[in-house]
Structure formats: structure tokens, C-alpha cells
Amino acid sequence: MTQPQIGIIMGSDSDLPTMQAAIEVCEQFNIPWEVAIVSAHRTPNRMVEYAQTAHKRGIKVIIAGAGGAAHLPGMVASLTPLPVVGVPVTTRQLQGVDSLYSIVQMPAGIPVATVAIGNAKNAGLLAIQILATGQPELLDRVQQYRQSLNDSVMEKQKRLDEIGYQKYLQNMGQ
């Protein structure tokens, strides 16, 4: 297997359905990744070891998903020189707002880039863009992806113009 460039970690296996979107982005861009369950509270020694050795193992960006107290992204960021992207995971009690506040409120000097609640896809895309700053061929693929988003919107607009908003709305779920 090729050396992973993106580490995707989560505090619990229950976070994997959310974090799957980051994995899929890595696969879409053909970027090697690794995935691990690393709990800040239940496996603190594992978290420290993972964070302190990731750059030595060739990881360039860490995506860390966590719910509730959501300490994983911030603690990992405090232990690694790598960029960390935090993914707030939805919780039953507060729908992930608790996770978002925990991840986004980092002290000065220890940044964590934070995406929207449950939006591991954007975390994956941000990690890819970070890698692309030093990989021209990957930067080209990011630009192609962005163009495909533009093309998709323009196709939808064309269809809306052709059939009108009422038919468009009727056909949206199909």
C-alpha cells in the first residue's frame, strides 16, 4: 500500500458513518489515507503517540472527527506540527452544536480548521487542497473538480429555464 498522506481519525467507531465522506474524497482524488479510532478520553496515550508520530510516518494533514466534548481535534493539534481539520459530529442531545463549539474555540497558537457539523466531505476536500499546494497535478484535479461543480449548477439552471420552476420542483426527487 502507498504511504498515507491523510490521517482520518475519530473518537469512536460511531463517528465512522460521518467520517466515511472524508475517506470517499481521498479515494475520489486517489490520495492514500489511513483511518483510526483514537479517543482523547479512552485512549489518551494512543492519541499522543498518533499525533506525535504522524508527520514522521508521512502524514501531511490530519482530519479529526469528534462529538460531544470533542477534544480530539484540539488535543491532536496541540501535539502535532501538521494541519488539523476538525469535524464536529452530530450528537443526540445537542445535534452537534456542542461538538462545533468545542472544536472551533481553540486557544491562540493552536489552530484547528473546522468544518460544518457532520461535513466530513468538506474536511476531505480541505485536506486535498492543502496537499495540492505542493502537488501541481493534484491542484489541476482540484480545479477540474471545481469546474465540474460549476458545470453541474449551469446544467441545473439550463433545465430550470427550459421546464420552469413548477416542473423542476416536481422532478427534483426523481
Side-chain angles (χ1 to χ4, degrees):
M1 182 175 176
T2 307
Q3 179 67 42
Q5 294 182 42
I6 297 177
I8 301 168
I9 61 175
M10 65 211 77
S12 171
D13 63 343
S14 64
D15 301 335
L16 186 56
T18 298
M19 301 306 289
Q20 177 181 355
I23 296 168
E24 290 170 350
V25 167
C26 291
E27 290 174 340
Q28 177 183 353
F29 282 88
N30 199 28
I31 296 299
W33 51 272
E34 66 182 25
V35 63
I37 302 166
V38 182
S39 173
H41 301 109
R42 292 180 290 254
T43 61
N45 293 332
R46 175 173 164 75
M47 178 198 62
V48 169
E49 192 271 331
Y50 185 93
Q52 290 180 338
T53 64
H55 71 283
K56 296 173 188 172
R57 295 182 295 104
I59 298 294
K60 305 285 187 242
V61 182
I62 297 172
I63 301 171
H71 291 133
L72 182 64
M75 289 303 299
V76 168
S78 75
L79 294 162
T80 185
L82 299 175
V84 175
V85 181
V87 179
V89 174
T90 301
T91 57
R92 285 185 294 252
Q93 297 80 9
L94 297 173
Q95 290 72 49
V97 173
D98 49 345
S99 312
L100 173 65
Y101 287 164
S102 178
I103 297 170
V104 80
Q105 290 295 339
M106 290 300 298
I110 308 295
V112 173
T114 309
V115 297
I117 298 168
N119 199 338
K121 179 176 183 174
N122 269 1
L125 289 167
L126 181 56
I128 297 295
Q129 288 176 270
I130 290 168
L131 291 178
T133 62
Q135 299 179 30
E137 68 286 347
L138 183 56
L139 185 60
D140 288 342
R141 294 197 328 254
V142 169
Q143 290 174 312
Q144 291 168 7
Y145 172 79
R146 291 285 183 94
Q147 184 62 49
S148 74
L149 296 177
N150 178 80
D151 295 347
S152 174
V153 171
M154 296 310 294
E155 283 297 316
K156 290 174 184 179
Q157 181 62 54
K158 181 180 174 185
R159 185 155 187 255
L160 178 60
D161 290 342
E162 289 173 355
I163 67 174
Y165 85 91
Q166 290 175 329
K167 279 190 177 179
Y168 192 94
L169 286 171
Q170 290 173 351
N171 295 326
M172 279 184 70
Q174 300 174 4

